[in-house]
Amino acid sequence: MENKELFDNYVHQFKDWLKTTKNQKSRTVSSRVTNIRTVGKYYDILKEFSIDECQSVLDDLQFSKNDSEPKTSIVIEGNYYNGLATYRQAVRLFVEFLKYINYKVPINSSPSAAKFIGSFDEFKRYVGPKCRNEVNIFCKSEREKHHGICEYCGQKQVLQSAHIKERPVIIKEILDMNYQIGTDLYEVILEDFFVKFKDAHMPIADHIFFLCKSCHDKLDRDHSITVTDIKNRKSGL
C-alpha cells in the first residue's frame, strides 16, 4: 500500500475515533479531519510520528503573535496565529490517536530497501553519525522539559543527550541480536534498525541523562563522574 493510501486509511480510523472515543460532534470531527489532511499534504505525518511523535511538525506549526512569518510552508488565508494553532491541535489529536491504536511503523523489507552489509566498525563509521542525530531528534521533546537545567550540576546551559548505556553498546546489541550473518558481519535493513534503535531508548528517562557539555565530558571522556553519581544527585543522595 502506498504511503498516501496508508495515511488515508488511518485518517478514516481517526475520524471514527474522534466520534466514538472522543465523543466529538460531527462538525468538529469534520474540521479535525480536514485539518490533518491539509497538514498531511506538507508533511509525512506517519514518518514524523515514528521519528519524534511529530514534535518537529508541531515546532514548524508554532507561531506567536510576535512572529513576522511562519516556519511552515502551509499557506493560510487569514490569521496565521489562529490557523496554525488549529493545525497544531489537529496534529496533537492525531498523535494521541496513533498512540491509542499502538501504531507501529511498517518495515520496508522489499529487495530495494536500503541495506548495510559490513562489519561493526564499518557500521559505526558510516551509520553511527545518523544514530547520533536520531537520538537528538527523538529526545528533543523530553530534553526541552528540563528547561536547560543540567541534571548533574544544576546549572542552566545548553543541554546534551548523554547515554546511560553507551550508544555503541546499544548499537552492537541490536546488530548481534537481529542482523548477524557471520563473524563480525552484518546485513541490516536500515529502516528496521532505526525503529529498533529508537525502541531501545524507551522510556527516554531510563536511558538518557540531560547534561551540560562540561558534565557530559566528565561522564564520557574524563570519567570523573559516573552514572551512579548522576543517579544519586537526581535522587538527592
Side-chain angles (χ1 to χ4, degrees), residues 29 45 62 76 80 90 107 160-161 165 196 206 232 234:
V29 170
I45 294 180
Q62 182 70 50
I76 292 177
Y80 267 90
I107 300 304
Q160 300 180 350
S161 302
K165 179 189 288 186
K196 290 181 170 61
D206 291 346
N232 288 341
K234 288 177 64 178

Side-chain angles (χ1 to χ4, degrees), residues 23-77:
N23 297 315
Q24 294 194 352
K25 296 180 180 180
S26 295
R27 185 174 178 178
T28 302
V29 170
S30 178
S31 295
R32 297 286 181 251
V33 169
T34 298
N35 291 338
I36 202 64
R37 286 192 187 281
T38 299
V39 177
K41 292 178 182 178
Y42 294 84
Y43 300 91
D44 186 339
I45 294 180
L46 296 178
K47 182 178 179 181
E48 295 293 338
F49 177 82
S50 72
I51 295 172
D52 63 358
E53 297 183 352
C54 294
Q55 186 57 51
S56 297
V57 176
L58 291 169
D59 289 346
D60 261 12
L61 298 177
Q62 182 70 50
F63 188 80
S64 76
K65 293 181 178 179
N66 295 322
D67 290 331
S68 57
E69 57 183 51
K71 301 175 187 175
T72 182
S73 56
I74 296 177
V75 177
I76 292 177
E77 298 295 334

Side-chain angles (χ1 to χ4, degrees), residues 21-144:
T21 303
K22 303 298 284 186
N23 297 315
Q24 294 194 352
K25 296 180 180 180
S26 295
R27 185 174 178 178
T28 302
V29 170
S30 178
S31 295
R32 297 286 181 251
V33 169
T34 298
N35 291 338
I36 202 64
R37 286 192 187 281
T38 299
V39 177
K41 292 178 182 178
Y42 294 84
Y43 300 91
D44 186 339
I45 294 180
L46 296 178
K47 182 178 179 181
E48 295 293 338
F49 177 82
S50 72
I51 295 172
D52 63 358
E53 297 183 352
C54 294
Q55 186 57 51
S56 297
V57 176
L58 291 169
D59 289 346
D60 261 12
L61 298 177
Q62 182 70 50
F63 188 80
S64 76
K65 293 181 178 179
N66 295 322
D67 290 331
S68 57
E69 57 183 51
K71 301 175 187 175
T72 182
S73 56
I74 296 177
V75 177
I76 292 177
E77 298 295 334
N79 188 306
Y80 267 90
Y81 178 77
N82 293 333
L84 292 181
T86 301
Y87 287 140
R88 281 171 61 84
Q89 192 170 19
V91 172
R92 287 195 186 98
L93 278 169
F94 197 72
V95 167
E96 183 182 346
F97 158 71
L98 292 175
K99 290 180 178 179
Y100 179 83
I101 65 171
N102 196 27
Y103 171 76
K104 298 295 183 184
V105 184
I107 300 304
N108 182 2
S109 58
S110 69
S112 61
K115 291 182 180 180
F116 165 90
I117 300 176
S119 69
F120 175 58
D121 283 343
E122 289 169 331
F123 190 90
K124 286 194 298 180
R125 184 181 311 131
Y126 297 114
V127 186
K130 180 168 174 57
C131 292
R132 182 173 58 250
N133 290 340
E134 288 293 305
V135 171
N136 285 328
I137 290 170
F138 61 66
C139 285
K140 180 180 178 182
S141 180
E142 190 71 24
R143 184 170 57 248
E144 289 178 345

Side-chain angles (χ1 to χ4, degrees), residues 204-226:
I204 290 173
D206 291 346
H207 296 87
I208 296 289
F209 294 134
F210 295 105
L211 306 175
C212 65
K213 184 180 186 304
S214 176
C215 290
H216 195 177
D217 287 345
K218 290 176 182 177
L219 175 68
D220 286 350
R221 296 182 183 179
D222 304 340
H223 305 295
S224 56
I225 61 174
T226 66

